[in-house]
Amino acid sequence: MELYIYYRIAEADAQAFASELDDLVPRLAARCPGLRSRWLRRPEARDGMLTIMEIHHHPDGLPEAMVTDIEELLSSWPSTRIGPRHVEVFTELFTELPHPDVHRRSCD
């Protein structure tokens, strides 16, 4: 299972967001050992707003207790957020991808 969380911040608050992120990462790592997290942003601002995407996963899966810890720690974060955090949960479609030749079709 992986968590995908997105929200918006004002483009003018990007530096404050980055500073808060620097403070958050070690706390998140201490609370959720082994968690792998990434923060992405859309390449363009829209109406002076940036869309931020968090992706959280754990190599051994995300147990419900860890999901709860992540949500508790991040529920009011970042302080610069405008509007709600939108949380999406995804699970693996395949544990192993089929061989690339299996679905290959001729273009002729």
Side-chain angles (χ1 to χ4, degrees):
M1 172 177 16
E2 295 187 9
L3 293 179
Y4 290 78
I5 304 166
Y6 62 96
Y7 46 88
R8 294 168 38 129
I9 64 169
E11 189 173 21
D13 291 332
Q15 189 59 44
F17 171 81
S19 179
E20 286 186 25
L21 183 59
D22 286 344
D23 292 339
L24 173 74
V25 169
R27 292 188 342 214
L28 186 59
R31 189 157 175 180
C32 302
L35 184 68
R36 306 279 195 256
S37 299
R38 295 175 54 208
W39 281 263
L40 309 170
R41 60 165 274 194
R42 283 202 174 142
E44 74 285 341
R46 293 183 184 166
D47 300 321
M49 304 292 286
L50 298 173
T51 301
I52 306 294
M53 171 72 75
E54 299 173 18
I55 304 170
H56 304 282
H57 76 280
H58 193 283
D60 297 326
L62 282 175
E64 201 58 43
M66 189 175 287
V67 171
T68 299
D69 282 346
I70 294 167
E71 290 176 349
E72 284 177 3
L73 184 62
L74 301 179
S75 66
S76 63
W77 187 86
S79 68
T80 56
R81 185 184 76 233
I82 297 172
R85 293 170 59 85
H86 302 277
V87 179
E88 303 284 341
V89 178
F90 287 82
T91 58
E92 215 170 316
L93 182 58
F94 299 104
T95 55
E96 213 174 286
L97 291 177
H99 189 278
D101 291 333
V102 171
H103 299 289
R104 185 176 292 164
R105 294 184 180 181
S106 172
C107 294
D108 298 331

